[in-house]
Amino acid sequence: MLLLDAALPENTPWDRGLTDQLYGGDEHYRLCQEALLGLGGVAALAALGHDSRILYHMNEGHSALLTIPLLETSGADRSGDGVSEEQIEAVRKNCVFTSHTPVPAGHDQFPVALVRQVLGRARTALLQEGECLLDDTLNMTYLALRFSGYINGVSMRHGEVSFDMFPGYPIHAITNGVHVVTWTCEAFQELYDRHIPGWRFDTRYLRYAIQIPHEEIQESHRRAKRELLADVESRSGVKLDENVFTIAFARRATPYKRADLLLRDPGRLREIAARAGPLQILYAGKAHPRDEAGKEMIRRIFQASKQLDERARLVYLKNYDWPLARQMVAGADLWLNTPQRPREASGTSGMKAACNGVPSLSVRDGWWIEGHLEGVTGWSLLDGNADRVEESDEVAGLYGKLERVILPLFYQRPSAYAEIMRAAIAINASFFNTQRVLSQYVRNAYRGLADLVEESPAL
Ligand SMILES: *Cc1c(COP(=O)(O)O)cnc(C)c1O
């Protein structure tokens, strides 16, 4: 892994700041960053001697300017003769593009005047000849689409959504995954070591979790839950009860994730807890400093939490980061996700939960369309597959599932609950992981392109 750093003494003070911030500054700053990544990235690899035998995999459009030097290498010059199909094909042989964002606003666009200011006249002309400037705008996603030999979305559904967003491009799908060993807590690591030797090297062996006795799943989960609740106490001072059903929701606090969906009707939540059994709700997630709606959503959760009682308690944990996420995905009894469709391109935290035998209750969007088997690996808010749903129906579905299905199962049929935990591991953790993702990229995306991969039999 190479990290580009602009903070060198020979750079001007302004240029030195170009690698300071991920999502900061205005569109000029942003385009300069993308020029540094795309043009500078190709130059850095060439300086290291890798120039010809490289497959470029673009993660979103941020690095798509790398296609300019590739186009130049393929013989396209700036003489005004245009760019030929052969030259474009030559670039495509070396480029893979993965889109992650099902929302048009998530794709970078720059006005041509700014492009000319940053990239210069000649390169802007090259982009024009390559038909990359539509309506005097450089759209980084279109640039990547135009020059990639393989294009994919990050879940089956997201592939379809992207196909509708960018008509005319063949868009495939490779569903995201998580790194299993990283996201599996110590208690489950030890459990897998005992029952599934080799799972660390080949995560497909997790399929055989289906044979682990329920009692051992329950015991390992108890350990993870105890650790989480101890951590909650040390962070918040609140002592929760390890025998009480614990729901976790942790995400970046941004409106489409709808963190507050569970709290639309605190009175109903109190009623559910009184009838079906007590519950504890753990929240975590920060809003981007400029995301006012995200901050407002957190405030609404705090307001609503004041209307809960001893049988339905809520704790909002500060500073959501990887270590906290790791505790939460392992120690909760249920992983809740309530995004607005179709905005969850994939989602990954439910996969992390599955590594620890924690089932999801989620909206049928992103990866959950694939990972969801009702009552087997977890639950969806709504039964059926309607395209259009009202939010009020989703709220009713969420409360209904908790009251009539999930809480009764947890309190009255613990062994049946453990069965679902086990299936979450065997069916979902064995598939929604990075080993499978990487092998799919090699087989579907890389092998069909540059010859260099075919020369390597190991792939
Ligand atoms: C996994 C993770 C995320 C992303 O979760 P999603 O379900 O994909 O939204 C965000 N933040 C942290 C700290 C994580 O561990």
Side-chain angles (χ1 to χ4, degrees):
M1 179 159 76
L2 305 173
L3 295 170
L4 301 178
D5 185 359
L8 303 175
E10 58 266 41
N11 287 338
T12 65
W14 192 83
D15 285 351
R16 270 178 235 161
L18 279 175
T19 46
D20 283 357
Q21 280 174 293
L22 188 53
Y23 296 113
D26 56 12
E27 61 179 3
H28 174 238
Y29 180 80
R30 182 108 185 124
L31 181 56
C32 289
Q33 286 188 313
E34 298 194 355
L36 188 65
L37 179 62
L39 307 176
V42 172
L45 289 167
L48 289 166
H50 296 300
D51 38 343
S52 62
R53 296 171 49 80
I54 293 181
L55 193 86
Y56 294 89
H57 188 156
M58 292 175 262
N59 190 29
E60 296 291 25
H62 311 313
S63 59
L65 292 175
L66 67 82
T67 57
I68 295 179
L70 298 191
L71 206 51
E72 288 167 349
T73 310
S74 79
D77 60 19
R78 305 156 189 185
S79 62
D81 291 343
V83 176
S84 70
E85 270 308 306
E86 291 76 58
Q87 286 158 347
I88 292 177
E89 274 308 317
V91 176
R92 284 190 185 138
K93 246 179 118 61
N94 289 296
C95 289
V96 171
F97 173 50
T98 301
S99 171
H100 295 255
T101 317
V103 197
H107 299 261
D108 291 325
Q109 302 193 49
F110 303 102
V112 66
L114 182 64
V115 174
R116 200 170 286 123
Q117 182 194 338
V118 173
L119 300 181
R121 287 196 172 278
R123 282 183 158 159
T124 307
L126 188 65
L127 287 172
Q128 230 137 16
E129 285 156 23
E131 291 166 28
C132 304
L133 296 177
L134 301 176
D135 302 328
D136 277 343
T137 302
L138 173 63
N139 180 316
M140 298 298 280
T141 302
Y142 279 111
L143 185 61
L145 287 167
R146 180 148 176 72
F147 288 107
S148 292
Y150 182 92
I151 304 161
N152 73 288
V154 291
S155 69
M156 301 307 272
R157 180 83 188 107
H158 177 235
E160 293 165 13
V161 169
S162 305
F163 186 73
D164 292 340
M165 275 174 73
F166 313 117
Y169 292 97
I171 301 187
H172 304 266
I174 294 180
T175 303
N176 273 344
V178 296
H179 190 257
V180 172
V181 179
T182 299
W183 289 104
T184 301
C185 68
E186 279 66 27
F188 273 84
Q189 290 195 8
E190 287 168 23
L191 181 68
Y192 300 154
D193 283 340
R194 282 203 303 279
H195 288 273
I196 317 175
W199 73 280
R200 291 170 188 271
F201 302 103
D202 184 348
T203 46
R204 274 168 274 217
Y205 285 124
L206 284 176
R207 189 202 173 283
Y208 305 115
I210 208 72
Q211 290 156 354
I212 300 176
H214 290 155
E215 299 71 40
E216 293 188 51
I217 301 258
Q218 289 166 323
E219 182 47 41
S220 299
H221 180 64
R222 214 175 342 265
R223 244 177 82 192
K225 188 168 178 180
R226 245 176 235 150
E227 277 170 32
L228 169 64
L229 298 190
D231 192 36
V232 169
E233 188 175 358
S234 75
R235 285 168 184 262
S236 67
V238 180
K239 191 166 168 53
L240 295 176
D241 183 341
E242 70 170 72
N243 297 311
V244 170
F245 184 67
T246 302
I247 301 172
F249 186 107
R251 301 268 156 12
R252 197 162 39 87
T254 196
Y256 91 84
K257 299 268 190 188
R258 299 190 302 185
D260 54 340
L261 203 76
L262 177 65
L263 294 162
R264 288 293 154 84
D265 186 350
R268 176 88 171 90
L269 213 45
R270 282 200 313 267
E271 223 176 77
I272 292 170
R275 283 197 208 136
L279 40 99
Q280 299 172 150
I281 307 163
L282 288 177
Y283 270 100
K286 293 179 274 203
H288 187 283
R290 280 184 305 204
D291 184 353
E292 288 308 320
K295 286 188 242 178
E296 184 52 40
M297 194 169 68
I298 297 178
R299 278 192 284 272
R300 276 201 301 278
I301 293 171
F302 270 95
Q303 282 306 323
S305 73
K306 292 180 190 152
Q307 300 172 48
L308 296 178
D309 59 15
E310 276 302 299
R311 287 179 68 84
R313 306 176 71 189
L314 186 152
V315 179
Y316 204 113
L317 298 166
K318 288 186 213 156
N319 298 323
Y320 182 47
D321 59 6
W322 282 33
L324 178 56
R326 199 166 173 275
Q327 296 267 14
M328 291 179 80
V329 295
D333 297 309
L334 181 72
W335 193 254
L336 180 66
N337 193 17
T338 50
Q340 211 167 24
R341 297 191 310 174
R343 302 192 55 175
E344 186 90 321
S346 167
T348 53
S349 55
M351 303 173 184
K352 301 170 189 170
C355 295
N356 298 285
V358 173
S360 286
L361 167 60
S362 182
V363 169
R364 289 169 49 83
D365 195 18
W367 85 281
W368 192 236
I369 294 176
E370 302 163 46
H372 165 249
L373 283 171
E374 184 69 17
V376 177
T377 55
W379 303 270
S380 73
L381 267 54
L382 290 174
D383 296 321
N385 215 351
D387 259 354
R388 296 213 144 272
V389 292
E390 295 295 323
E391 191 167 274
S392 55
D393 292 337
E394 292 184 281
V395 173
L398 169 58
Y399 290 142
K401 280 277 157 77
L402 280 174
E403 179 173 17
R404 287 189 291 276
V405 181
I406 302 172
L407 281 162
L409 197 69
F410 180 84
Y411 282 118
Q412 292 158 34
R413 299 173 57 212
S415 189
Y417 202 90
E419 179 70 33
I420 291 178
M421 300 180 73
R422 194 165 76 167
I425 303 165
I427 296 175
N428 284 344
S430 68
F431 184 81
F432 295 99
N433 60 64
T434 42
Q435 283 187 5
R436 188 266 314 155
V437 172
L438 193 57
S439 75
Q440 280 199 299
Y441 274 110
V442 169
R443 288 194 166 269
N444 304 343
Y446 307 156
R447 192 141 73 173
L449 297 181
D451 312 327
L452 57 132
V453 181
E454 275 153 27
E455 287 166 20
S456 173
L459 297 175

